[in-house]
Amino acid sequence: MSDGSWTASDRFSGCGWVWMDSREDIQLMGTRNFTRCESALHSEVEALRWAMENMLQYSPCQSFGTDCKELIAMINEPQEWPRFATELEKIETLQICFPDFKITHVPRVRSQLPDFLAKTAMNFRRELLFIGCSIPVWLTRPPQA
Protein backbone atom coordinates (compact mmCIF):
# COMPACT_ATOMS: atom_id res chain seq x y z
CA MET A 1 0.00 0.00 0.00
CA SER A 2 1.20 3.50 -0.73
CA ASP A 3 0.03 6.98 0.14
CA GLY A 4 1.06 10.53 -0.63
CA SER A 5 0.53 13.65 1.46
CA TRP A 6 0.43 17.25 0.30
CA THR A 7 -0.73 20.68 1.39
CA ALA A 8 -0.33 23.99 -0.41
CA SER A 9 1.51 25.54 2.52
CA ASP A 10 3.99 22.86 3.65
CA ARG A 11 7.63 22.88 2.56
CA PHE A 12 7.56 19.16 1.70
CA SER A 13 5.26 16.57 0.22
CA GLY A 14 5.46 13.12 1.79
CA CYS A 15 5.11 9.48 0.79
CA GLY A 16 4.68 6.34 2.74
CA TRP A 17 4.38 2.70 1.77
CA VAL A 18 3.98 -0.59 3.58
CA TRP A 19 4.68 -4.05 2.18
CA MET A 20 2.58 -6.78 3.79
CA ASP A 21 2.64 -10.49 3.13
CA SER A 22 -0.42 -12.58 2.31
CA ARG A 23 -1.31 -12.76 6.04
CA GLU A 24 -1.12 -8.94 6.17
CA ASP A 25 1.96 -9.01 8.42
CA ILE A 26 4.21 -6.00 7.82
CA GLN A 27 7.46 -6.99 6.13
CA LEU A 28 8.89 -3.56 5.28
CA MET A 29 7.88 0.09 5.21
CA GLY A 30 9.21 3.36 3.87
CA THR A 31 8.72 7.06 4.46
CA ARG A 32 10.28 10.02 2.72
CA ASN A 33 9.70 13.61 1.90
CA PHE A 34 10.62 15.72 -1.11
CA THR A 35 10.21 19.32 -2.18
CA ARG A 36 6.49 20.07 -2.30
CA CYS A 37 5.05 18.94 -5.60
CA GLU A 38 2.34 20.52 -7.67
CA SER A 39 -0.73 18.85 -6.15
CA ALA A 40 -2.03 16.13 -3.86
CA LEU A 41 -2.47 13.83 -6.86
CA HIS A 42 1.16 14.39 -7.88
CA SER A 43 2.22 13.23 -4.41
CA GLU A 44 0.08 10.08 -4.80
CA VAL A 45 1.80 9.29 -8.11
CA GLU A 46 5.22 9.88 -6.54
CA ALA A 47 4.34 7.59 -3.61
CA LEU A 48 3.35 4.78 -5.97
CA ARG A 49 6.51 5.26 -8.08
CA TRP A 50 8.73 5.11 -4.99
CA ALA A 51 6.88 2.05 -3.65
CA MET A 52 7.29 0.28 -6.99
CA GLU A 53 11.02 1.06 -7.10
CA ASN A 54 11.45 -0.34 -3.61
CA MET A 55 9.43 -3.47 -4.31
CA LEU A 56 11.76 -4.18 -7.23
CA GLN A 57 14.66 -4.19 -4.78
CA TYR A 58 13.14 -5.87 -1.73
CA SER A 59 10.09 -7.91 -2.64
CA PRO A 60 8.41 -10.17 -5.18
CA CYS A 61 5.25 -8.05 -4.67
CA GLN A 62 3.08 -7.57 -7.77
CA SER A 63 -0.02 -6.02 -6.17
CA PHE A 64 -0.27 -2.44 -5.00
CA GLY A 65 -3.00 -0.70 -3.06
CA THR A 66 -4.03 2.91 -2.62
CA ASP A 67 -6.91 4.82 -1.10
CA CYS A 68 -6.82 7.22 -4.08
CA LYS A 69 -9.36 6.26 -6.75
CA GLU A 70 -8.03 8.96 -9.09
CA LEU A 71 -4.59 7.32 -9.04
CA ILE A 72 -6.12 4.01 -10.10
CA ALA A 73 -7.98 5.77 -12.93
CA MET A 74 -4.70 7.39 -14.03
CA ILE A 75 -2.90 4.03 -14.14
CA ASN A 76 -5.74 2.37 -16.05
CA GLU A 77 -6.24 5.21 -18.57
CA PRO A 78 -3.10 7.37 -18.67
CA GLN A 79 -4.11 9.06 -21.93
CA GLU A 80 -7.01 10.69 -20.06
CA TRP A 81 -4.53 12.52 -17.78
CA PRO A 82 -2.24 14.55 -20.10
CA ARG A 83 -1.17 16.86 -17.26
CA PHE A 84 0.54 13.84 -15.64
CA ALA A 85 2.12 12.42 -18.81
CA THR A 86 5.71 12.63 -17.54
CA GLU A 87 4.92 11.07 -14.16
CA LEU A 88 2.76 8.33 -15.68
CA GLU A 89 5.47 7.48 -18.20
CA LYS A 90 7.76 6.64 -15.26
CA ILE A 91 5.05 4.39 -13.77
CA GLU A 92 4.49 2.68 -17.14
CA THR A 93 8.23 2.02 -17.46
CA LEU A 94 8.27 0.46 -13.99
CA GLN A 95 5.21 -1.66 -14.78
CA ILE A 96 7.27 -3.53 -17.37
CA CYS A 97 9.20 -5.04 -14.43
CA PHE A 98 5.96 -6.35 -12.87
CA PRO A 99 4.47 -8.96 -15.22
CA ASP A 100 1.43 -9.43 -12.94
CA PHE A 101 1.05 -5.78 -11.90
CA LYS A 102 -2.23 -4.97 -10.19
CA ILE A 103 -3.41 -1.87 -8.36
CA THR A 104 -6.53 -1.89 -6.21
CA HIS A 105 -8.48 0.50 -4.07
CA VAL A 106 -7.92 0.09 -0.33
CA PRO A 107 -10.39 1.78 2.02
CA ARG A 108 -8.83 4.59 4.06
CA VAL A 109 -9.49 2.66 7.27
CA ARG A 110 -7.08 -0.06 6.02
CA SER A 111 -4.41 2.38 4.84
CA GLN A 112 -3.77 4.21 8.10
CA LEU A 113 -0.08 3.26 8.38
CA PRO A 114 0.95 4.46 4.88
CA ASP A 115 -1.10 7.61 5.54
CA PHE A 116 0.69 8.15 8.87
CA LEU A 117 4.10 7.65 7.22
CA ALA A 118 3.28 10.09 4.40
CA LYS A 119 1.95 12.80 6.74
CA THR A 120 4.87 12.37 9.13
CA ALA A 121 7.34 12.80 6.28
CA MET A 122 5.50 15.85 4.96
CA ASN A 123 5.63 17.51 8.39
CA PHE A 124 9.24 16.56 9.16
CA ARG A 125 11.34 19.70 9.46
CA ARG A 126 14.26 18.45 7.33
CA GLU A 127 14.85 15.90 4.60
CA LEU A 128 13.71 12.40 5.54
CA LEU A 129 14.16 9.00 3.94
CA PHE A 130 13.65 5.82 5.96
CA ILE A 131 13.13 2.17 4.97
CA GLY A 132 12.83 -0.46 7.69
CA CYS A 133 10.78 -3.20 9.33
CA SER A 134 9.17 -1.02 12.01
CA ILE A 135 8.53 2.60 12.86
CA PRO A 136 11.76 4.08 14.24
CA VAL A 137 11.69 5.36 17.82
CA TRP A 138 12.56 8.87 16.68
CA LEU A 139 9.28 9.18 14.73
CA THR A 140 6.12 9.96 16.63
CA ARG A 141 3.87 6.95 16.90
CA PRO A 142 0.54 6.73 15.06
CA PRO A 143 -2.57 6.79 17.21
CA GLN A 144 -3.79 3.31 18.12
CA ALA A 145 -7.15 2.37 16.62
Side-chain angles (χ1 to χ4, degrees):
M1 290 185 291
S2 68
D3 199 15
S5 190
W6 177 91
T7 65
S9 59
D10 279 304
R11 177 178 168 204
F12 295 113
S13 292
C15 344
W17 57 262
V18 177
W19 166 38
M20 291 187 275
D21 64 18
S22 58
R23 295 182 321 223
E24 296 199 8
D25 293 329
I26 294 171
Q27 300 298 308
L28 203 61
M29 63 182 71
T31 182
R32 73 176 277 238
N33 59 21
F34 48 95
T35 304
R36 184 181 67 236
C37 57
E38 202 174 320
S39 70
L41 201 44
H42 282 89
S43 72
E44 294 285 353
V45 173
E46 176 62 18
L48 176 62
R49 184 194 61 77
W50 189 52
M52 290 173 75
E53 287 176 350
N54 280 280
M55 291 305 98
L56 282 175
Q57 289 182 354
Y58 302 115
S59 161
C61 176
Q62 296 284 314
S63 298
F64 296 83
T66 178
D67 62 5
C68 181
K69 290 180 180 178
E70 292 87 357
L71 178 59
I72 295 169
M74 291 171 79
I75 301 303
N76 291 335
E77 296 188 47
Q79 69 281 0
E80 300 293 322
W81 301 81
R83 188 169 150 218
F84 293 86
T86 302
E87 294 86 352
L88 291 173
E89 189 174 298
K90 293 175 187 174
I91 299 286
E92 288 174 344
T93 301
L94 283 166
Q95 278 182 281
I96 294 167
C97 302
F98 296 92
D100 297 319
F101 178 84
K102 182 170 66 172
I103 186 164
T104 56
H105 181 258
V106 177
R108 189 168 291 262
V109 70
R110 287 193 49 230
S111 64
Q112 290 177 347
L113 184 53
D115 180 65
F116 162 78
L117 293 168
K119 285 180 177 161
T120 298
M122 179 186 67
N123 292 316
F124 211 70
R125 299 203 188 297
R126 54 186 183 274
E127 289 185 17
L128 171 67
L129 189 151
F130 172 80
I131 297 171
C133 297
S134 61
I135 298 170
V137 294
W138 44 267
L139 277 183
T140 51
R141 296 282 188 214
Q144 298 298 316

